[in-house]
Amino acid sequence: MPRGRYSLHDPHDHTPLGEEHFQCAPGPSGWRYVSRTTSPSGTHLGSVDLALDDLGRPIRLELHAADWQVRGAALEGVTWVRTDPAGLHATEGNVRARTFSGTSPAFLVATSRLLRLTPDSGETRVRLVTFTDPVLAPRTVDQSWALVDSETHATDNGPLTVDEYRVSALDTGERHTVHIAGDVVLAAPGVELEDLESPPSPAPRQAG
């Protein structure tokens, strides 16, 4: 069960945004990730609880940030309920998208597990609903993912495969690179892995 800590920063000016303390593990139905985020001063900012089925689809999502809450799942695309801080109003949403996204590195792992790309897959388009901090506002985005490299490295705990993805925002054309080992993000825009207590769990493609 990987457990560790990511540092989060603004991908443009590198302003520190805080840390995300996480643990994740494969389970009988797929994969689960739980985390809590803190500000640079250590103040609690929010939490993530994401569960995927064995095909990488989100069967449960619960986000908390600044007293806002989102609960969602894959249902006729993706469906969610967003609740305001006072708890007086809840708004429902549904989009013909394949999965969720957001600032947590969990969503990068989730998308890679959903797409299960190979170096021969080429560019694969995916529609996501992303929730923006700090009010968890939903926004539909289209991205293109490609697995451009996959290298296996020898470690004390056995072979470790690191996948390099090229992710493109189709509305702006902006491209960036994401490095994932199993179910842990090694590096991505705004994300750095600072601490990892145990090795990553293999991705489905690597495991099967």
Side-chain angles (χ1 to χ4, degrees):
M1 178 184 295
R3 182 192 303 263
R5 174 173 54 90
Y6 294 111
S7 63
L8 308 176
H9 58 267
D10 187 293
H12 302 291
D13 62 14
H14 302 289
T15 300
L17 300 178
E19 295 184 333
E20 184 162 334
H21 301 258
F22 73 95
Q23 62 183 38
C24 55
S29 61
W31 181 72
R32 187 181 180 197
Y33 178 102
V34 295
S35 70
R36 58 181 180 85
T37 54
T38 57
S39 70
S41 64
T43 303
H44 177 75
L45 294 178
S47 62
V48 178
D49 189 341
L50 173 65
L52 309 179
D53 66 11
D54 58 359
L55 296 178
R57 298 172 299 192
I59 56 176
R60 186 182 70 255
L61 170 66
E62 186 168 329
L63 298 177
H64 292 267
D67 295 326
W68 291 87
Q69 176 180 287
V70 165
R71 292 184 177 181
L75 180 64
E76 297 180 349
V78 292
T79 299
W80 68 91
V81 176
R82 177 173 173 263
T83 307
D84 65 292
L88 300 177
H89 305 283
T91 56
E92 297 183 3
N94 172 262
V95 171
R96 291 287 182 178
R98 296 189 64 187
T99 190
F100 296 110
S101 184
T103 57
S104 172
F107 295 112
L108 296 172
V109 176
T111 302
S112 71
R113 295 174 76 92
L114 174 72
L115 299 178
R116 300 195 186 186
L117 301 176
T118 69
D120 298 326
S121 299
E123 299 275 349
T124 299
R125 179 171 176 160
V126 59
R127 175 162 289 179
L128 314 97
V129 172
T130 185
F131 295 101
T132 58
D133 290 337
V135 297
L136 301 180
R139 185 166 64 93
T140 303
V141 298
D142 292 306
Q143 294 180 343
S144 175
W145 280 61
L147 178 60
V148 297
D149 193 22
S150 185
E151 295 184 353
T152 300
H153 305 270
T155 72
D156 293 340
N157 298 295
L160 178 68
T161 299
V162 178
D163 292 327
E164 177 184 341
Y165 293 93
R166 182 176 63 243
V167 181
S168 304
L170 296 184
D171 57 347
T172 64
E174 182 179 4
R175 289 186 171 185
H176 58 267
T177 300
V178 175
H179 290 89
I180 298 177
D183 55 358
V184 173
V185 176
L186 301 183
V191 177
E192 294 291 342
L193 179 65
E194 300 290 351
D195 182 55
L196 186 63
E197 297 181 9
S198 55
S201 302
R205 176 177 56 82
Q206 296 165 338

